Amino acid sequence: MPVCSLCTEPAVVYQRYINRHLCGTHFTADVELRVADTIKTRQMIVPQDRVAVALSGGKDSTALLLLLQRLLPSWEDVRLIAITIDEGIAGYREETIQSAEQLTGRLGIEHHCISFTGLFGDSLDAFLTGRETQACSICGILRKKALVVGARQAGVTKIATGHNLDDEAQSVLMNVFRGDLPRLVRNSSVDSSGKFIPRIKPLSLISEKEIATYLMLNDAWSELPECPYTRYAMRREVRSMLSGFEYKHPGTMLHLMESKKKIERYCKGSVISESLRSCLECGDPCSGDLCQVCLLRQSLDR
Amino acid sequence: MRLILSDRDVRIFEHIPAPVEQILLEQGINPLEVIVSRNGKLLSEDTVIQASDEVRIIRIAHGG
């Protein structure tokens, strides 16, 4: 049986990209160290920050909340809260919301819940009738808005999301496939305009498999249903393709992220970077005359 | 060796002993998209599985 490269315990993971075996204890420590390092290097959290974790109750946001809670004592005067968005997806969201409530209750973390019905007047299921193929883009726009509303109500200074390495690498490829260079180089982790709440992604260098492994080793794994709308998503195809590449060529996802950083540097200050304007309808920051939510509301006739 | 899949389907795998990775590939599963356990303990992909083992494959659902 393979043993840990750092001790004599049985290995539970093999990190292919660096050819290393780790036992449960060393793997947990490794993940926590890498997340702490990402946060520190990129100055994601600073003293006096009030951080809202976007907690869906699924694996990534659950791992994020657990990790930030564990790292909390190492930061000076930082407070954590959790915000859950109830999009209104029948047969899916109920279970993950219950999981989010149980987790925040167990950790003693303040928990806010914002629903699409309360904020936009109807559930995602209702908005998507006849538009199922647009599910992820419609949901993404409304969910982002709901999160900002919740974050403003709670008075936070940062929004932390559970995007992992797989998500981030998929987004790089999808933006390239769409020819969307402005979105590829967009950086929402800092705000020099004072108009929006910075979003941080502390898990952006941890793979999806590592996150699932971390949860299992820390008794926080639960098998939850998959969103019924993912079958319409382009991301699903990209995910499968990229996962195949990563398996055959370990390090592919990290290399994609390095490519994105290089492109960001080349594009800094160029015309490709979008200038920030205010939505003529609601005043929210945006890049055109109207923000995406107001554009969407017009197209949905709401 | 008994192989329990995410959908509770049970398959008998005959070509053993074999490493986890080989078993997954023969089932058409990308090892990066699942986690494998034996008696509740997680296994690395190069762990060799024996005839008497019961192995569980847990699919990592996207999202969350």
Side-chain angles (χ1 to χ4, degrees), chain A residues 120 141-142 144-145 282 284 290-298:
Chain A
F120 305 117
I141 291 167
L142 297 178
K144 202 174 275 185
K145 171 74 177 182
C282 70
D284 272 4
L290 293 176
C291 71
Q292 286 190 305
V293 175
C294 289
L295 279 170
L296 181 61
R297 279 185 149 159
Q298 278 186 358

Side-chain angles (χ1 to χ4, degrees), chain A residues 1-2 12-14 16 21 56 58-61 167 208-209 212-213 216 221 223 226 235 239 243-244 246-247, chain B residues 6 8 21 25 30-36 38 42-48 56 58-64:
Chain A
M1 187 169 193
V12 295
V13 293
Y14 173 56
R16 297 164 54 86
H21 288 90
S56 69
K59 69 177 190 318
D60 301 310
S61 58
D167 297 328
E208 191 165 39
K209 178 161 178 163
T213 305
M216 284 195 183
W221 170 265
E223 284 193 65
E226 197 165 52
R235 185 177 287 274
R239 180 190 189 224
S243 179
E246 179 67 34
Y247 176 68
Chain B
S6 271
R8 316 278 180 224
E21 185 175 14
L25 292 175
N30 180 339
L32 299 185
E33 296 179 358
V34 296
I35 286 178
V36 178
R38 178 178 57 194
L42 300 189
L43 301 176
S44 65
E45 291 153 24
D46 50 350
T47 303
V48 175
R56 189 170 166 232
I58 304 140
R59 194 172 71 92
I60 306 167
H62 178 55

Side-chain angles (χ1 to χ4, degrees), chain A residues 18-297:
Chain A
I18 48 172
N19 188 27
R20 183 171 73 167
H21 288 90
L22 289 178
C23 65
T25 305
H26 280 113
F27 175 76
T28 295
D30 178 63
V31 169
E32 290 173 1
L33 188 69
R34 283 158 56 205
V35 172
D37 188 55
T38 300
I39 291 170
K40 189 178 174 186
T41 309
R42 301 183 187 184
Q43 295 180 300
M44 289 179 171
I45 295 175
V46 296
Q48 277 116 50
D49 258 342
R50 299 288 177 265
V51 181
V53 171
L55 179 68
S56 69
K59 69 177 190 318
D60 301 310
S61 58
T62 295
L64 177 63
L65 189 63
L66 280 172
L67 277 154
L68 293 186
Q69 170 84 344
R70 286 186 182 183
L71 296 172
L72 199 59
S74 63
W75 302 313
E76 190 189 328
D77 188 23
V78 172
R79 202 178 121 211
L80 277 183
I81 69 155
I83 299 175
T84 297
I85 307 302
D86 179 3
E87 303 92 346
I89 305 174
Y92 165 65
R93 195 42 97 201
E94 301 89 341
E95 246 184 283
T96 55
I97 288 176
Q98 196 179 20
S99 178
E101 284 169 350
Q102 285 169 355
L103 180 68
T104 50
R106 183 161 62 83
L107 298 177
I109 287 178
E110 185 182 320
H111 186 210
H112 301 248
C113 199
I114 306 276
S115 76
F116 274 18
T117 305
L119 197 59
F120 305 117
D122 223 331
S123 68
L124 183 68
D125 285 342
F127 287 130
L128 291 182
T129 307
R131 298 184 186 89
E132 288 83 358
T133 54
Q134 299 168 265
C136 290
S137 53
I138 291 176
C139 180
I141 291 167
L142 297 178
R143 194 155 45 139
K144 202 174 275 185
K145 171 74 177 182
L147 195 53
V148 169
V149 169
R152 283 188 183 144
Q153 283 174 2
V156 302
T157 55
K158 301 272 167 66
I159 297 172
T161 62
H163 292 91
N164 58 46
L165 175 61
D166 298 53
D167 297 328
E168 292 296 281
Q170 289 156 17
S171 294
V172 171
L173 266 192
M174 286 164 69
N175 287 327
V176 171
F177 287 167
R178 291 177 179 138
D180 195 344
L181 195 52
R183 193 182 286 262
L184 178 68
V185 299
R186 190 180 296 163
N187 181 2
S188 54
S189 66
V190 287
D191 172 37
S192 51
S193 67
K195 289 185 175 174
F196 64 92
I197 302 170
R199 290 163 168 266
I200 57 171
K201 299 172 182 175
L203 305 185
S204 57
L205 295 180
I206 311 291
S207 75
E208 191 165 39
K209 178 161 178 163
E210 287 178 317
I211 287 170
T213 305
Y214 179 86
L215 288 175
M216 284 195 183
L217 290 169
N218 288 277
D219 296 323
W221 170 265
S222 50
E223 284 193 65
L224 293 167
E226 197 165 52
C227 176
Y229 294 113
T230 56
R231 66 177 183 272
Y232 301 108
M234 175 192 188
R235 185 177 287 274
R236 189 183 179 126
E237 293 171 60
V238 173
R239 180 190 189 224
S240 175
M241 181 191 70
L242 195 50
S243 179
F245 261 88
E246 179 67 34
Y247 176 68
K248 286 181 189 159
H249 312 285
T252 294
M253 293 191 198
L254 282 170
H255 295 154
L256 268 172
M257 298 312 296
E258 284 163 17
S259 300
K260 175 185 154 65
K261 272 174 78 176
K262 283 178 190 162
I263 296 169
E264 273 174 6
R265 277 203 294 274
Y266 286 124
C267 293
K268 203 170 183 184
S270 73
V271 288
I272 293 161
S273 303
E274 297 164 323
S275 58
L276 206 57
R277 298 161 67 180
S278 292
C279 174
L280 297 174
E281 196 73 37
C282 70
D284 272 4
C286 61
S287 56
D289 288 338
L290 293 176
C291 71
Q292 286 190 305
V293 175
C294 289
L295 279 170
L296 181 61
R297 279 185 149 159

